[in-house]
Amino acid sequence: MRILVTGGAGFIGSHLIDRLLSAGNEVICLDNFFTGHKRNVLQWLDHPYFELIRHDVTEPIRLEVDQIYHLACPASPVHYQYNPVKTIKTNVMGTLNMLGLAKRVKARFLLASTSEVYGDPEVHPQREDYWGNVNPIGIRSCYDEGKRVAETLTFDYHRQNNVDVRVARIFNTYGPRMQENDGRVVSNFVVQALQNLPLTIYGDGSQTRSFCYVSDLVDGLMRLMNGQHTGPVNLGNPDEYTILELAEAIQNMVNPGAPIQLNPLPEDDPRRRKPDITRAQTWLGWQPTVPLQEGLRQTLEDFRSRIGIHAESEVQVPVAITGEHH
Ligand SMILES: NC(=O)c1ccc[n+]([C@@H]2O[C@H](COP(=O)([O-])OP(=O)(O)OC[C@H]3O[C@@H](n4cnc5c(N)ncnc54)[C@H](O)[C@@H]3O)[C@@H](O)[C@H]2O)c1
């Protein structure tokens, strides 16, 4: 098959491309390199079945493909809040353009949506039939509401134009190739631990999160794309850890002596976020398999080599972490 991956030079997209090419598919990667990087797909640049196109999805493009994985969109708060208008344009116009392409060439289309569509949820764990509790005018809205509109567009193209669609609601994912400066809790702790800095927790660390390793997530995306169900389907790891437990796990693996520092909690920090994955289990036969310890080990190895390479230019640790949601 010829498969288009938008946002393919990013964290999740590049792992997806590894899997798709290893399985013998032809892959076209579209990316504007806002948060993605060529080094994430470097190993494929000379591969005859791989094509890399620098392109912004807010502009239309004509291509012949069988499937479209639409991942293009900055995913961490520091990046999607950098230019909120651009973020919403990417979600709305980018998704429109890719759905238009899917319609024209009769390709199957998968939207990478997010658990953020549930906002600050009033029900736990979150099931796909929960409509969410989202602030339409807050600083996260460009992303949450952007993805909600993207879901709406996807279902409207399905109902109105018979486009074959899939919607995945992705929860916190981590692993190699996450950006060091994305302000998310896993990358922050890992960078801090590797640099012998105190691990900073916002609040008392009792808030819980769940973390899905990237290979599990990619497996879920491919099962959804190639299965019979439209969705939406939650893809995430339902194991809950407190932020303090996560900090201690990383601390023990890297630098058991590293201090943990508690800072004030940012305003809109949800207490809990945890997927109900019954749908993914029954529809796709999917559930995460990589334990946190193992995923963290792989992530640490990758960050260690990257931070080693860039040692002279010092990796920047963001000043405030508000990105624990992803
Ligand atoms: N990582 C997570 O925990 C998580 C959770 C929920 C949803 N998601 C979704 O999964 C997708 C991938 O996330 P990720 O973590 O790999 O993020 P990422 O920032 O690493 O990847 C996004 C990619 O999209 C590209 N991009 C952004 N705007 C673009 C545009 N206008 N045109 C073309 N390319 C553009 C970026 O350069 C980057 O390569 C996103 O849609 C995100 O919303 C991720």
Side-chain angles (χ1 to χ4, degrees):
M1 260 192 285
R2 187 184 294 160
I3 303 174
L4 172 63
V5 180
T6 75
F11 161 51
I12 297 176
S14 63
H15 285 279
L16 174 64
I17 287 177
D18 290 349
R19 283 282 303 274
L20 295 173
L21 281 166
S22 304
N25 296 289
E26 228 177 288
V27 171
I28 302 176
C29 168
L30 273 195
D31 207 295
N32 70 352
F33 300 119
F34 172 44
T35 50
H37 205 279
K38 243 188 209 173
R39 70 167 174 266
N40 289 339
V41 290
L42 206 58
Q43 68 273 36
W44 301 112
L45 287 183
D46 291 329
H47 194 281
Y49 287 177
F50 179 68
E51 215 172 311
L52 176 62
I53 306 177
R54 178 189 285 264
H55 177 81
D56 197 301
V57 292
T58 57
E59 302 290 338
I61 188 165
R62 284 181 181 272
L63 296 165
E64 296 291 327
V65 291
D66 304 301
Q67 292 187 338
I68 302 172
Y69 286 91
H70 180 44
L71 274 65
C73 177
S76 75
V78 276
H79 294 126
Y80 71 65
Q81 286 167 7
Y82 172 74
N83 183 346
V85 173
K86 176 67 196 232
T87 301
I88 196 122
K89 263 188 176 169
T90 295
N91 276 315
V92 178
M93 291 158 65
T95 305
L96 262 176
N97 285 330
M98 292 307 120
L99 281 162
L101 174 64
K103 177 185 162 194
R104 234 175 5 254
V105 301
K106 298 198 174 7
R108 187 175 284 182
F109 174 93
L110 182 145
L111 174 70
S113 184
T114 169
S115 57
E116 297 283 326
V117 299
Y118 299 124
D120 192 4
E122 295 133 320
V123 297
H124 291 281
Q126 290 84 51
R127 283 178 17 168
E128 292 86 346
D129 55 10
Y130 176 53
W131 289 355
N133 176 33
V134 176
N135 175 0
I137 56 167
I139 54 167
R140 298 177 158 269
S141 312
C142 58
Y143 185 73
D144 317 348
E145 296 286 30
K147 289 284 185 182
R148 287 169 70 94
V149 175
E151 287 198 12
T152 308
L153 283 168
T154 304
F155 275 87
D156 282 335
Y157 265 78
H158 176 57
R159 282 185 289 254
Q160 191 177 333
N161 302 109
N162 270 323
V163 176
D164 194 10
V165 302
R166 306 284 182 267
V167 173
R169 291 190 180 146
I170 302 171
F171 284 66
N172 263 341
T173 302
Y174 74 101
R177 301 184 195 150
M178 286 180 93
Q179 289 145 97
E180 302 102 83
N181 62 350
D182 67 3
R184 295 193 211 182
V185 65
V186 173
S187 33
N188 271 298
F189 286 163
V190 168
V191 170
Q192 289 170 332
L194 289 175
Q195 294 188 323
N196 282 326
L197 295 167
L199 274 60
T200 42
I201 291 184
Y202 291 79
D204 62 3
S206 65
Q207 67 271 43
T208 68
R209 294 292 184 271
S210 50
F211 307 96
C212 186
Y213 189 63
V214 66
S215 61
D216 280 331
L217 194 271
V218 164
D219 182 48
L221 290 176
M222 290 172 65
R223 282 176 192 240
L224 176 61
M225 175 65 107
N226 297 304
Q228 297 312 310
H229 297 277
T230 297
V233 176
N234 288 340
L235 295 176
N237 194 327
D239 291 345
E240 265 182 300
Y241 294 91
T242 68
I243 293 297
L244 186 61
E245 283 170 337
L246 177 73
E248 286 169 350
I250 293 172
Q251 186 191 37
N252 287 333
M253 290 170 87
V254 186
N255 186 2
I260 290 180
Q261 183 184 314
L262 302 182
N263 285 356
L265 195 66
E267 244 173 51
D268 58 349
D269 200 57
R271 293 289 313 158
R272 291 178 72 192
R273 171 83 53 76
K274 167 183 160 137
D276 180 319
I277 59 163
T278 312
R279 242 186 215 187
Q281 283 168 323
T282 52
W283 286 0
L284 313 175
W286 177 86
Q287 61 182 33
T289 58
V290 180
L292 186 67
Q293 287 287 335
E294 173 55 21
L296 285 177
R297 205 184 52 73
Q298 305 266 2
T299 309
L300 277 165
E301 211 168 283
D302 169 66
F303 272 65
R304 205 172 255 135
S305 65
R306 271 191 284 157
I307 290 176
I309 290 166
H310 305 305
E312 303 93 63
S313 60
E314 284 275 294
V315 174
Q316 298 279 314
V317 179
V319 204
I321 307 180
T322 53
E324 293 180 0
H325 311 244
H326 269 313

